[in-house]
Amino acid sequence: MKSLQFFFLIFPAILFAQNQIVKSDFDGDKIMDKVYFDSASGMVICQLSSQKFKKVKTKSYNDDGTLTLGKTKNGFEISVSQMRAGNSYQFRYEKESKKMRLIGMWRSEFGPANNDGSGESSVNLLTNNYIADWNYYDVKKSKLVKMPSIKKKMIFPKIYFDDLDDVFYKYMDQDVKYYEAEKKRLYHD
């Protein structure tokens, strides 16, 4: 009976681990490449055939929330879900550098109980186009107000899979500045 209980305890973890591998020909040489989550280190690892399957690693995601990997049209995506927020990174192979380049980021927030600051935003790092759909809570009217879409430029240098560092926090900081400026413009106490 104990072995059966152990099986049911570990079975979801096995499914989770199996779903954390994405195989595709990212570099266009007709040989399958792979990206996967290494639960022991908490890192995402990418191996390209054109790089002789050298392990290229990210920082650890162990404390960031629930991580999932997914295949996209031309690459892959790393998504992280938390209790009331989420974010993702999208990557595509760049022939010139022979690396997986970060081409987009997305984030969402539910905000506090009144959903102030809830919404989502994204930035396309190939075009530098940023778009956001946020809400704010109007205290005077006691209701959540949808703000008009914010469309701006957000410029980052080229960023690659092996050098993400704090790029997401830079994106989030600029995102919050755009939100605060728009909220201030629309809402006066």
Side-chain angles (χ1 to χ4, degrees):
M1 185 66 163
K2 281 190 175 190
S3 62
L4 189 58
Q5 289 172 335
F6 179 73
F7 175 78
F8 285 119
L9 286 174
I10 199 164
F11 185 69
I14 291 169
L15 282 177
F16 181 76
Q18 287 176 343
N19 290 334
Q20 296 306 302
I21 297 174
V22 175
K23 293 181 180 182
S24 187
D25 179 15
F26 300 128
D27 54 15
D29 63 1
K30 298 186 180 12
I31 299 171
M32 290 301 237
D33 306 301
K34 70 178 177 178
V35 61
Y36 61 95
F37 179 66
D38 177 26
S39 57
S41 67
M43 296 177 180
V44 177
I45 299 171
C46 181
Q47 294 179 282
L48 301 175
S49 57
S50 59
Q51 300 294 318
K52 298 182 172 117
F53 297 103
K54 174 185 162 193
K55 290 184 178 182
V56 180
K57 303 173 183 179
T58 63
K59 67 177 182 78
S60 176
Y61 286 95
N62 272 341
D63 299 328
D64 289 356
T66 304
L67 183 135
T68 56
L69 300 174
K71 187 176 180 317
T72 62
K73 181 179 176 185
N74 296 311
F76 64 88
E77 178 176 55
I78 300 171
S79 299
V80 180
S81 297
Q82 298 164 331
M83 291 277 287
R84 297 188 59 81
N87 64 70
S88 70
Y89 303 90
Q90 299 88 34
F91 296 90
R92 181 171 81 187
Y93 183 75
E94 183 181 69
K95 289 180 183 177
E96 298 79 27
S97 67
K98 298 181 179 167
K99 293 181 171 185
M100 295 304 292
R101 180 175 171 193
L102 180 65
I103 62 166
M105 290 183 282
W106 169 87
R107 77 181 203 94
S108 68
E109 296 277 345
F110 287 108
N114 65 5
N115 291 330
D116 186 39
S118 61
E120 64 183 27
S121 70
S122 64
V123 60
N124 179 323
L125 299 175
L126 299 174
T127 63
N128 301 314
N129 289 331
Y130 161 88
I131 187 165
D133 290 304
W134 295 110
N135 303 295
Y136 70 91
Y137 188 78
D138 187 324
V139 178
K140 291 178 184 173
K141 296 179 182 176
S142 295
K143 73 176 197 172
L144 192 65
V145 177
K146 181 173 176 20
M147 297 167 62
S149 291
I150 302 169
K151 295 178 182 178
K152 296 195 175 278
K153 290 291 183 184
M154 189 181 284
I155 300 169
F156 287 91
K158 285 186 176 183
I159 303 158
Y160 297 94
F161 179 80
D162 60 346
D163 192 30
L164 292 175
D165 289 327
D166 60 352
V167 67
F168 181 75
Y169 296 104
K170 289 178 182 176
Y171 162 51
M172 189 168 63
D173 287 346
Q174 187 61 51
D175 192 9
V176 169
K177 287 178 187 173
Y178 287 161
Y179 166 79
E180 291 293 337
E182 187 66 8
K183 183 178 174 183
K184 185 177 181 181
R185 186 183 74 77
L186 294 170
Y187 180 68
H188 306 286
D189 283 335

